Amino acid sequence: WRLAGKLPLYGDGKALGEIHVAEKHLEDVNGQEMAMYATFLGQALDLYIRRRARAELKAGSFDVMPIGVARLDTDGAILEVNRSFQDFLGHRENVKGKDAWQEITQAKGLGMDLMWEEFVKEDGPESMNRIICPLGLDEKEEDVCFFFSVSKIVGDQGQEMLALVEDISEITDLQHE
């Protein structure tokens, strides 16, 4: 392959690459048609790069947040979680489709909560915020204090919930000192 002809690909006024045409095919190429093709290809490539970069940036930010974040369906089942939420649960298995509050209560050794049952009802409150900490003198080293907040929102797929969980054990440890 000897490259003889090339057309630049532009997107938003920036050079994104080139289309190369082998010398043996140059006589078969209509220059105007190739230029138009290169324009459309450049625009499509630019759009793809922008969408991809935005999605990768969001995904990267989502995974490095120090706060656990989860998207839930209207019943409280997990649609998507970030790494911090998964770490908070203490296991690596796929939790998609499982009840978020039930996963948290099982992972942290807590009982079920009637507030959660009320919240997930269609006519339930729009948000639920809880600070969970062990009480009394029988606190154990493995006890965790955490903040849990969940709100009903309208997302890309319609009604859903957004849940946040943050381990605040360090704050309570400092208060005890």
Side-chain angles (χ1 to χ4, degrees):
W1 243 61
R2 253 180 92 214
L3 299 177
K6 59 184 177 181
L7 283 169
L9 296 176
Y10 291 100
D12 198 27
K14 297 175 188 157
L16 300 174
E18 298 174 329
I19 297 177
H20 293 263
V21 181
E23 189 175 328
K24 65 181 179 180
H25 296 293
L26 275 178
E27 59 196 44
D28 300 331
V29 174
N30 177 322
Q32 288 179 326
E33 288 176 2
M34 274 304 277
M36 186 170 63
Y37 177 73
T39 300
F40 291 137
L41 187 59
Q43 290 171 349
L45 183 58
D46 181 53
L47 184 61
Y48 171 77
I49 290 170
R50 286 177 197 230
R51 285 184 182 161
R52 177 75 182 210
R54 189 175 325 134
E56 286 180 6
L57 182 62
K58 281 182 183 177
S61 299
F62 187 63
D63 275 341
V64 298
M65 291 177 86
I67 294 175
V69 181
R71 281 182 47 241
L72 314 174
D73 69 14
T74 55
D75 295 321
I78 297 170
L79 299 171
E80 180 181 17
V81 297
N82 71 349
R83 195 170 297 130
S84 295
F85 198 97
Q86 191 81 16
D87 290 346
F88 181 80
L89 294 176
H91 49 78
R92 289 283 178 210
E93 68 210 39
N94 185 359
V95 292
K96 187 174 182 179
K98 296 181 179 180
D99 184 278
W101 186 245
Q102 187 175 359
E103 286 298 304
I104 290 171
T105 57
Q106 285 177 355
K108 303 305 173 193
L110 305 170
M112 261 321 267
D113 188 331
L114 294 178
M115 281 185 72
W116 178 253
E117 299 300 324
E118 262 320 293
F119 173 72
V120 294
K121 289 181 181 176
E122 192 173 324
D123 61 343
E126 290 297 307
S127 66
M128 181 178 111
N129 301 293
R130 306 287 307 271
I131 294 179
I132 311 289
C133 282
L135 296 174
L137 300 173
D138 61 339
E139 293 180 31
K140 296 177 226 67
E141 192 67 35
E142 65 272 5
D143 285 342
V144 174
C145 286
F146 65 94
F147 170 70
F148 179 74
S149 177
V150 61
S151 298
K152 295 176 180 176
I153 62 168
V154 177
D156 293 339
Q157 269 72 59
Q159 283 292 113
E160 56 186 44
M161 299 178 197
L162 183 65
L164 306 174
V165 65
E166 182 177 14
D167 184 338
I168 57 173
S169 298
E170 290 178 13
I171 297 169
T172 57
D173 288 346
L174 288 173
Q175 288 177 339
H176 290 301
E177 291 179 3

